[in-house]
Amino acid sequence: MTRFPAADGLRALAALAVVVSQVGLHTDAPFAAAVSRLDVGWAVFCALSGFLLYRPHVLAWFSGTLPPLTLPYLRNRALRILPALVLTAVLSIAFVPHPATRYLQWAAQTPLLFYLLLPGLGRLLTGYERPTRRSVRWRLLVLLALTVLGPVWMAAVTATGQSAAALWLPGYLGWFAVGMGLALWQVARATGRLGASTLDTLTRVPGTLWGIAAALILIAATPLAGPYDHSTPTPAQALLKNLLYTVVVACALFPVLTPTAATVRVLGGRPARYAAQLSYGVVAYQFVVLGVLHGPFAVQLPVALLASVAIAAISYRLIERPALRLGRRLENTAATKTDTKAISPSSSPAR
């Protein structure tokens, strides 16, 4: 499977959850505790990125081919991420009394840094030996260990009063590692490197896993997981919240790897695909929209959603999609030059 259609719907739902949680931070939202914990959408985005970006490295490892080239990968990531991010920064500075600096700092220190480190991390976790069942299991254990890093990091920086460090990559690496681990499991299972297990049964009952995820979000909505705004939690609260979100994203993402027909119908249709294309813009531009909005939750939520979607649609059509097309043209040009060089007479072996 080269495409995971149900991931589109999951990405769109994550964007919706993020917007709702951000509106809740700006207003007196009903069910404020549960609304605030919809910021778990950020964790879903991280896990999806880990899954989709690490999977090509796993496929190359299993097939014995070269891993994705670093420079084309970085170019494509830059063309996908930077246009909307830069425009968000410009609009925020121009129109918002208090610019969305926290989001921009988080984006620069977490997702962007992960994208930069992924080529090296991918090679580290897929090199040095053949993809046997033993080597796959060892790497799954390494990725499982990384999921513990986030909760421990958040507890440590909270205990030491280093609030700025709560925006750094180590605090969120566990969410990326969930996606990376699921990518490794999916490819290993599809190629027979791993045998059947209870996990295969869980893919056929997505409602069970999503129900567990919902229950964990409700647990996170209690004071056990800390305050419902940007107030400083206790170390135990910071650890528990990060850990709960890690398990939530694992339960949310796992059913889309080998989705049932019903899951694909609900999460993988054309509307979901289009919504997924806009999701990045929606979560970026909603900070600008919320910066100029005033009013109660019931007013701000629909206005923020409609305005963010509208701006994201315009941005995608006029800026982001042309940038992606440019990336594909550059990639095709490079591939053509490589093929031409490979078949040129000067490169032919001597007879």
Side-chain angles (χ1 to χ4, degrees):
M1 180 182 292
T2 58
R3 187 175 176 276
F4 298 85
D8 291 337
L10 187 61
R11 186 184 299 274
L13 289 174
L16 175 63
V18 167
V19 174
V20 174
S21 70
Q22 291 299 314
V23 174
L25 281 174
H26 286 75
T27 61
D28 294 325
F31 309 105
V35 167
S36 71
R37 296 309 188 228
L38 291 179
D39 65 351
V40 72
W42 294 115
V44 175
F45 277 120
C46 292
L48 283 169
S49 294
F51 176 81
L52 295 172
L53 297 178
Y54 178 60
R55 190 171 179 272
H57 289 269
V58 178
L59 290 171
W61 182 39
F62 278 38
S63 61
T65 58
L66 292 176
L69 297 176
T70 299
L71 288 181
Y73 156 78
L74 292 176
R75 179 195 63 214
N76 292 337
R77 281 289 88 198
L79 289 173
R80 179 66 185 101
I81 299 299
L82 293 183
L85 190 63
V86 171
L87 184 55
T88 297
V90 172
L91 293 175
S92 182
I93 293 171
F95 298 107
V96 180
H98 303 286
T101 54
R102 184 177 178 87
Y103 165 70
L104 296 174
Q105 290 172 352
W106 180 82
Q109 298 177 45
T110 302
L112 292 183
L113 183 56
F114 173 77
Y115 299 150
L116 290 173
L117 295 177
L118 181 64
L121 189 59
R123 284 172 171 77
L124 183 65
L125 289 172
T126 57
Y128 308 113
E129 58 182 331
R130 294 187 303 108
T132 62
R133 181 170 297 188
R134 178 179 177 276
S135 63
V136 168
R137 287 176 173 172
W138 181 84
R139 283 157 175 79
L140 285 173
L141 288 175
V142 170
L143 291 168
L144 179 62
L146 287 178
T147 64
V148 181
L149 176 62
V152 172
W153 176 271
M154 287 304 197
V157 299
T158 303
T160 56
Q162 303 296 322
S163 58
L167 298 176
W168 294 0
L169 176 61
Y172 309 92
L173 188 59
W175 301 346
F176 291 105
V178 167
M180 295 170 68
L182 291 178
L184 180 54
W185 177 87
Q186 188 272 329
V187 176
R189 186 68 188 88
T191 57
R193 297 306 201 288
L194 292 178
S197 66
T198 306
L199 294 178
D200 296 274
T201 303
L202 291 176
T203 62
R204 295 191 288 270
V205 285
T208 300
L209 286 175
W210 290 332
I212 294 173
L216 292 175
I217 291 174
L218 291 178
I219 294 175
T222 68
L224 291 174
Y228 306 124
D229 53 19
H230 292 310
S231 302
T232 303
T234 67
Q237 290 171 336
L239 184 149
L240 180 61
K241 181 181 177 181
N242 193 287
L243 181 61
L244 286 172
Y245 281 15
T246 301
V247 182
V248 167
V249 296
C251 292
L253 181 55
F254 190 71
V256 311
L257 306 185
T258 53
T260 63
T263 300
V264 172
R265 283 196 302 271
V266 174
L267 295 178
R270 183 175 297 179
R273 185 184 307 179
Y274 182 67
Q277 292 173 340
L278 302 185
S279 61
Y280 171 62
V282 168
V283 299
Y285 297 125
Q286 53 105 14
F287 286 100
V288 179
V289 173
L290 289 176
V292 298
L293 279 182
H294 301 282
F297 180 85
V299 173
Q300 286 203 35
L301 180 59
V303 173
L305 281 173
L306 291 174
S308 300
V309 169
I311 298 172
I314 295 171
S315 172
Y316 184 79
R317 184 174 183 83
L318 299 182
I319 301 175
E320 297 166 59
R321 188 167 66 176
L324 292 173
R325 287 175 174 171
L326 173 61
R328 285 193 289 268
R329 285 198 299 270
L330 293 174
E331 192 169 348
N332 292 336
T333 301
T336 301
K337 290 181 178 178
T338 301
D339 292 341
T340 302
K341 184 178 180 180
I343 63 176
S344 64
S346 61
S347 64
S348 301
R351 294 182 181 272

